[in-house]
Amino acid sequence: MKNIVVLVSGGGTNLQALIDAEKNNIIKNGKITCVISSNPDAYALERAEKNNIKTRVLPRKQFPDCVSYSRAILSALDEEKADLVVLAGFMTILSEDVTKAYAYRIINVHPALIPSFCGAGYYGLKVHEAALSYGVKYSGATVHFVNEVADAGAIILQKPVEVMKNDTPETLQKRIMEQAEWIILPQAVSLFCQDKIEISNGKAFIKE
Ligand code: GAR
């Protein structure tokens, strides 16, 4: 059984999708053992507590820079004996201290079809604002491994979602969460926990 540590910053609907998937046996061979939040007020912490999952708070604001924050996260991950780290709405970029130590063991969910609308500065509603302002007819979600470059690690799963004429960033965000993120994130976690993801030439493939 693999220890899954989930990093959050906000509402935690993706965390909830993982908790529900674990309960419903959609996640095989993995257990959420700890939730770490960069934000002391994140509602995600309440979701974890309601489900008797250990929580830790490492406020981003208490650290002067990304490198010192990342070192604190690295110590926490080591202490929790994380086999898999899931960034579920985690709004802080991690330095290479963490991404190298946990290479191909950190996955992130991004609310667009990478390589569109991704990288530094594209997070949360900003991603959907950019998609609407470009006028794309499909957006979606991507689950990928995390490496040294924001949103550039090997893609594990993607799912497209139609953009509607009258969408606002909020309505598009909701549809992408419901129709893509909450489905492919638990799927990718389960695949990882069953050792069903292989890496070849820096790309991720699902084993048959
Ligand atoms: C989700 O849409 C997630 O994909 C996005 O923030 C939202 C968090 O919601 N993450 C990013 O933009 C990271 N670059 P949640 O807290 O309810 O899961």
Side-chain angles (χ1 to χ4, degrees):
M1 192 70 107
K2 293 202 196 310
N3 293 339
I4 305 166
V5 175
V6 185
L7 272 53
V8 297
S9 300
T13 64
N14 279 290
L15 169 66
Q16 189 67 53
L18 292 171
I19 292 170
D20 294 345
E22 188 187 316
K23 276 191 192 149
N24 296 327
N25 207 26
I26 290 166
I27 296 178
K28 302 204 187 331
N29 199 39
K31 183 177 170 49
I32 305 168
T33 49
C34 183
V35 169
I36 303 177
S37 178
S38 62
N39 166 13
D41 302 319
Y43 184 65
L45 288 167
E46 283 185 42
R47 295 182 192 271
E49 280 155 16
K50 275 187 197 144
N51 288 279
N52 300 316
I53 299 168
K54 177 179 179 181
T55 58
R56 295 176 70 152
V57 180
L58 279 174
R60 174 65 182 87
K61 285 185 185 152
Q62 285 182 6
F63 294 82
D65 51 37
C66 169
V67 171
S68 58
Y69 186 69
S70 296
R71 287 194 183 133
I73 290 280
L74 182 58
S75 302
L77 296 177
D78 290 345
E79 282 164 21
E80 298 302 331
K81 299 186 170 39
D83 296 307
L84 171 65
V85 182
V86 181
L87 310 189
F90 186 66
M91 297 305 180
T92 297
I93 290 178
L94 294 169
S95 78
E96 63 178 32
D97 292 308
V98 182
T99 57
K100 289 216 163 105
Y102 282 82
Y104 293 109
R105 289 192 291 153
I106 309 176
I107 68 177
N108 178 48
V109 59
H110 182 75
L113 294 173
I114 290 174
S116 292
F117 315 118
C118 64
Y122 286 100
Y123 57 87
L125 279 175
K126 287 178 193 288
V127 177
H128 306 296
E129 283 163 13
L132 290 177
S133 107
Y134 199 98
V136 292
K137 303 304 176 225
Y138 282 87
S139 188
T142 303
V143 179
H144 63 92
F145 284 110
V146 173
N147 67 8
E148 286 64 63
V149 183
D151 296 329
I155 292 172
I156 304 168
L157 294 174
Q158 290 188 298
K159 194 165 190 288
V161 172
E162 196 169 357
V163 179
M164 302 298 181
K165 195 175 170 196
N166 296 323
D167 263 333
T168 62
E170 289 79 9
T171 60
L172 182 58
Q173 178 183 55
K174 183 167 180 281
R175 190 175 320 107
I176 288 175
M177 284 175 157
E178 289 171 352
Q179 295 183 8
E181 294 186 53
W182 300 343
I183 299 165
I184 63 173
L185 182 60
Q187 280 175 350
V189 166
S190 189
L191 288 166
F192 180 94
C193 290
Q194 296 173 87
D195 294 317
K196 286 190 174 171
I197 305 174
E198 63 188 359
I199 305 297
S200 173
N201 289 330
K203 295 181 181 56
F205 297 94
I206 311 306
K207 291 185 198 169
E208 290 302 317

